[in-house]
Amino acid sequence: MNAPEQRRSPRKRPEHSVTVTDAITGQTLGHVGNLSNNGMLLIGQCVPRSEAIYQVHLPLPRHDGGMPSIEIGIQEQWHEPAASPGQTWVGYRIIAIGNMDAMHLDDWLQQA
């Protein structure tokens, strides 16, 4: 039996690889598996600490060819080994986002 959907908002998968970078260290944390206005699934090689908080940059490709990068604060909610060896799936909740970045994210989520 499948568990009922627990997410607050529908998530969208990017059409192309979207790399998430730690804004403080410049280290790549992983690639977006899916994204909503409340959180994201990140596929990476590092296992984060439980409830770790990061300030990150991620580019959001648009259909018009533009690629604005948004900056958000995220907090780890869960993580588990991915099917591929050496990779980890990590669920993050968005805990901080500026008004302009929220508009860019909403625009990206609305694109078909």
Side-chain angles (χ1 to χ4, degrees), residues 7-30:
R7 296 178 183 144
R8 290 183 243 163
S9 301
R11 294 190 177 211
K12 178 180 174 182
R13 289 187 172 131
E15 294 177 11
H16 305 287
S17 180
V18 175
T19 301
V20 176
T21 306
D22 185 313
I24 307 300
T25 66
Q27 178 182 17
T28 297
L29 295 181

Side-chain angles (χ1 to χ4, degrees), residues 2 56 65 69 89 93 97 104 110:
N2 290 337
V56 299
S69 182
W89 293 356
R93 177 173 58 106
I97 187 169
H104 287 304
Q110 297 299 319

Side-chain angles (χ1 to χ4, degrees), residues 17-108:
S17 180
V18 175
T19 301
V20 176
T21 306
D22 185 313
I24 307 300
T25 66
Q27 178 182 17
T28 297
L29 295 181
H31 300 278
V32 174
N34 60 49
L35 180 63
S36 76
N37 59 1
N38 293 334
M40 75 171 113
L41 169 68
L42 196 63
I43 304 163
Q45 296 179 341
C46 299
V47 177
R49 293 181 335 275
S50 291
E51 299 186 24
I53 295 175
Y54 298 96
Q55 182 176 339
V56 299
H57 291 288
L58 62 145
L60 293 178
R62 296 189 315 222
H63 288 298
D64 66 5
M67 192 172 297
S69 182
I70 66 170
E71 186 170 314
I72 59 176
I74 57 175
Q75 182 177 27
E76 185 269 358
Q77 300 296 294
W78 60 268
H79 62 271
E80 63 184 46
S84 299
Q87 289 189 335
T88 302
W89 293 356
V90 186
Y92 287 100
R93 177 173 58 106
I94 296 174
I95 58 172
I97 187 169
N99 291 339
M100 290 300 293
D101 289 336
M103 286 178 31
H104 287 304
L105 177 56
D106 287 341
D107 288 345
W108 183 82

